[in-house]
Amino acid sequence: MNTDTARAHLHGYGELPRLMGLMTGDEKHGPAATSTLDVLWVLHDRVLRISPERTDDPERDRFLLSKGHGPMAYYAVLAAKGFLPVDRLPGFGSYDSPLGHHPDRTLLPGVEIGSGSLGHGLPIAVGEALGLRAQGRPDPAVWVLVGDAELDEGSNHEAIAFAGPAALDRLHVVVVDNASASHARPGGIAARFEAAGWSVVTVDGHDHEALHAAFTRPHPGRPHAVVARTRSKNA
């Protein structure tokens, strides 16, 4: 068994609740975290071409957590995959811990952006995809996870409107839809992406096989959006 495979099996999906339980405090945002858990796991376990050994590899995939509130699930998945020691988890949110209430790319390997200000991640992902195209790197995929409430921010709609006509086919967006948005959209979230020329699929955000099929669905010449409908629950 090679090093990557051995590391990948240090902690499985069934251990994620225990890992999340190591993090305590008043700013957990537990429901926000648990609504993203299955999406984060399927991406990191079966889709993203990243590992602790290649965090600086220019050919790695990029994952941007725009939904930066309640990063407990993200930290648990990163710990399960060997990006950070499990014994760091109990320090979550403390003064000297790298595990802040919002992720910080300067403190944690595998974290691509500092997030928490809603509406920034998707525009950054568009710039990342454009930058990789300009560098002549067609292989790295760019993934960004946003919450449905983030789509209340206008900056996202500018990014959506640009990415479709620009044919950024290495750009992927996962919208975790836990029905927390303030403003309804005619036809739902998927219709907004479709109108801008994106490939779109809507799935149960807790069904791992459905998520994997949606994440790996071919979308030649178009950016791809997955709307993952989820249920928030207390961590």
Side-chain angles (χ1 to χ4, degrees):
M1 181 179 291
N2 63 37
T3 302
D4 285 348
T5 302
R7 186 186 296 274
H9 287 85
L10 284 175
H11 302 281
Y13 174 78
E15 295 178 84
L16 293 180
R18 178 183 69 83
L19 297 180
M20 290 180 67
L22 296 175
M23 291 174 273
T24 59
D26 295 332
E27 299 291 333
K28 293 195 305 180
H29 294 287
T34 56
S35 69
T36 66
L37 186 62
D38 295 293
V39 166
L40 287 166
W41 178 256
V42 174
L43 281 173
H44 284 80
D45 190 53
R46 301 173 63 181
V47 177
L48 295 171
R49 298 180 307 116
I50 58 176
S51 70
E53 292 76 26
R54 58 182 305 193
T55 55
D56 295 322
D57 184 348
E59 294 299 323
R60 73 190 184 282
D61 289 343
R62 274 70 165 172
F63 173 75
L64 284 60
L65 181 70
S66 186
K67 184 178 166 61
H69 293 292
M72 293 171 57
Y74 188 38
Y75 295 154
V77 170
L78 288 177
K81 290 299 179 183
F83 287 89
L84 63 101
V86 170
D87 60 13
R88 291 272 184 92
L89 297 178
F92 168 72
S94 61
Y95 177 76
D96 58 351
S97 172
L99 308 183
H101 294 135
H102 305 296
D104 187 330
R105 67 176 297 275
T106 67
L107 299 178
L108 282 178
V111 175
E112 295 282 354
I113 61 171
S115 55
S117 297
L118 298 180
H120 289 181
L122 181 49
I124 293 173
V126 168
E128 188 87 40
L130 282 170
L132 289 167
R133 175 186 285 181
Q135 293 172 24
R137 299 187 186 279
D139 293 331
V142 179
W143 288 82
V144 57
L145 189 157
V146 306
D148 61 318
E150 278 192 79
L151 298 183
D152 291 340
E153 302 287 342
S155 56
N156 288 289
H157 296 278
E158 295 179 10
I160 292 169
F162 176 85
L168 295 179
D169 56 1
R170 300 305 289 157
L171 175 63
H172 308 76
V173 176
V174 185
V175 182
V176 173
D177 180 10
N178 57 14
S180 61
S182 299
H183 304 292
R185 294 166 188 81
I189 293 172
R192 175 66 187 91
F193 286 92
E194 289 171 347
W198 289 58
S199 164
V200 192
V201 60
T202 300
V203 296
D204 179 344
H206 303 293
D207 183 329
H208 289 196
E209 293 306 317
L211 284 168
H212 183 258
F215 293 158
T216 56
R217 178 177 175 175
H219 51 96
R222 295 193 291 169
H224 185 51
V226 176
V227 180
R229 291 178 172 164
T230 68
R231 301 172 298 280
S232 296
K233 50 190 175 181
N234 291 326

